[in-house]
């Protein structure tokens, strides 16, 4: 596969404190990468470096494609203020700000694309609704439309099913599989029993990064890499349980 973005020897942190050390990582065309690891281990820091929101203290980021519209980003819906006075269509169109600018004008084609995405993901009847009226699952569908309206090469997901109902989760992962046909996906999640049924590869982040070119990890690998996971196979679905461990 062809690389879209590469990290070489990346170290990064905040206020002089290093959170990530000597990270090598690549996102290639067609990737579906699940990122796991303990709280405070550097998962969010890694996303910020990838997105260009945090400048690394060491190392190099290599882009093999133009940066414009490179990323779509889907955060946890808990980070959105439901009181903000904006309707569903405007939320989706805000995904075009990087190319339109703050004072840009949305065209008829832009709005048509937003409505088509909302219809596709089951939110067509809500296109004029206030974002604050939606349930957690409905809001994440709208945010997903916002993340992909610019036709990004890479979709970044940060705990996308946190604070949503189980019905949304069941519908959400098949949607990601469909999107993965045309773009690469990097997803941070604690829902390991589910994501291991969908992702292609796994990166364990705990100060450093250990990459597995598979969606399965042996207990021996986890102990060697200080990943906070124990594997328990149960029926047809593998379950993963977070556990305590020391930092490397």
């Amino acid at each position: 596969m062809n690389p879209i973005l590469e990290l070489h020897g990346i170290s990064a942190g905040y206020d002089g404190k290093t959170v990530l050390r000597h990270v090598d990582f690549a996102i290639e065309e067609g990737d579906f990468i699940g990122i796991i690891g303990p709280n405070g281990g550097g998962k969010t820091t890694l996303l910020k470096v990838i997105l260009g929101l945090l400048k690394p203290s060491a190392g190099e980021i290599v882009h093999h494609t133009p940066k414009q519209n490179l990323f779509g980003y889907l955060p946890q819906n808990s980070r959105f203020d439901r009181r903000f006075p904006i309707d569903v269509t405007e939320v989706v169109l805000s995904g075009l700000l990087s190319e339109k600018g703050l004072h840009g004008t949305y065209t008829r084609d832009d709005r048509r694309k937003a409505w088509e995405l909302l219809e596709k993901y089951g939110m067509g009847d809500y296109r004029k609704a206030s974002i604050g009226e939606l349930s957690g699952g409905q809001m994440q569908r709208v945010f997903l439309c916002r993340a992909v309206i610019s036709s990004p090469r890479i979709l970044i997901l940060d705990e996308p099913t946190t604070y949503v109902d189980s019905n949304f989760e069941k519908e959400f992962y098949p949607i990601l599989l469909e999107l993965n046909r045309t773009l690469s996906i990097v997803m941070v999640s604690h829902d390991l029993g589910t994501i291991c049924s969908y992702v292609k590869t796994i990166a364990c982040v705990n100060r450093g990064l250990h990459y597995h070119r598979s969606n399965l990890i042996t207990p021996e690998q986890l102990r060697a890499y200080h990943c906070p996971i124990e594997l328990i196979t149960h029926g047809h679905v593998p379950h993963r349980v977070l556990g305590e461990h020391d930092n490397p």
Side-chain angles (χ1 to χ4, degrees):
M1 290 189 290
N2 298 318
I4 302 173
L5 178 147
E6 294 180 283
L7 307 183
H8 299 292
I10 293 293
S11 294
Y14 312 91
D15 301 322
K17 181 180 179 181
T18 300
V19 176
L20 289 177
R21 297 184 180 89
H22 312 304
V23 167
D24 293 311
F25 186 59
I27 303 173
E28 299 181 338
E29 292 181 357
D31 269 344
F32 193 157
I33 304 170
I35 296 181
I36 63 175
N39 293 333
K43 300 187 301 296
T44 298
T45 301
L46 176 63
L47 293 190
K48 288 182 177 180
V49 170
I50 291 172
L51 290 166
L53 301 176
L54 178 66
K55 184 178 180 180
S57 57
E60 179 185 21
I61 303 174
V62 179
H63 293 85
H64 295 278
T65 188
K67 295 182 182 180
Q68 185 176 16
N69 297 332
L70 178 58
F71 299 108
Y73 176 58
L74 182 65
Q76 297 179 21
N77 68 7
S78 62
R79 298 175 182 176
F80 190 86
D81 187 351
R82 289 176 173 269
R83 298 169 297 178
F84 194 76
I86 188 172
D87 70 26
V88 164
T89 298
E90 293 297 320
V91 171
V92 177
L93 289 170
S94 69
L96 297 173
L97 282 176
S98 62
E99 61 182 80
K100 298 287 184 179
L102 290 176
H103 304 290
T105 302
Y106 300 121
T107 66
R108 184 175 299 177
D109 286 342
D110 293 335
R111 292 186 178 276
R112 184 180 297 112
K113 184 173 183 180
W115 294 336
E116 288 174 352
L117 284 170
L118 287 167
E119 190 68 36
K120 182 176 183 179
Y121 296 125
M123 293 300 296
D125 292 339
Y126 296 86
R127 67 186 192 182
K128 294 183 179 180
S130 170
I131 191 69
E133 298 174 7
L134 305 183
S135 69
Q138 290 172 331
M139 189 175 291
Q140 284 300 75
R141 285 186 178 87
V142 173
F143 286 166
L144 180 62
C145 293
R146 180 184 66 174
V148 301
I149 192 173
S150 64
S151 301
R153 297 285 302 279
I154 301 170
L155 177 61
I156 304 290
L157 309 168
D158 187 5
E159 299 281 0
T161 58
T162 303
Y163 308 115
V164 299
D165 58 71
S166 59
N167 289 331
F168 170 75
E169 290 189 56
K170 293 175 183 177
E171 298 171 0
F172 182 66
Y173 290 107
I175 289 173
L176 294 186
L177 288 180
E178 179 185 355
L179 286 169
N180 189 222
R181 297 174 184 172
T182 57
L183 52 75
S184 300
I185 298 175
V186 177
M187 179 170 63
V188 171
S189 180
H190 285 106
D191 187 10
L192 302 172
T194 299
I195 71 167
C196 287
S197 300
Y198 294 97
V199 302
K200 297 175 181 176
T201 57
I202 294 174
C204 184
V205 177
N206 185 23
R207 307 299 179 181
L209 184 148
H210 303 285
Y211 184 64
H212 311 269
R213 292 192 175 276
S214 167
N215 60 354
L216 298 176
I217 312 174
T218 67
E220 291 75 22
Q221 287 174 315
L222 295 174
R223 285 193 291 269
Y225 298 153
H226 302 275
C227 289
I229 313 276
E230 293 180 357
L231 304 189
I232 305 173
T233 300
H234 178 71
H236 298 290
V237 181
H239 291 259
R240 271 80 173 152
V241 181
L242 294 177
E244 297 294 332
H245 68 97
D246 296 323
N247 291 328

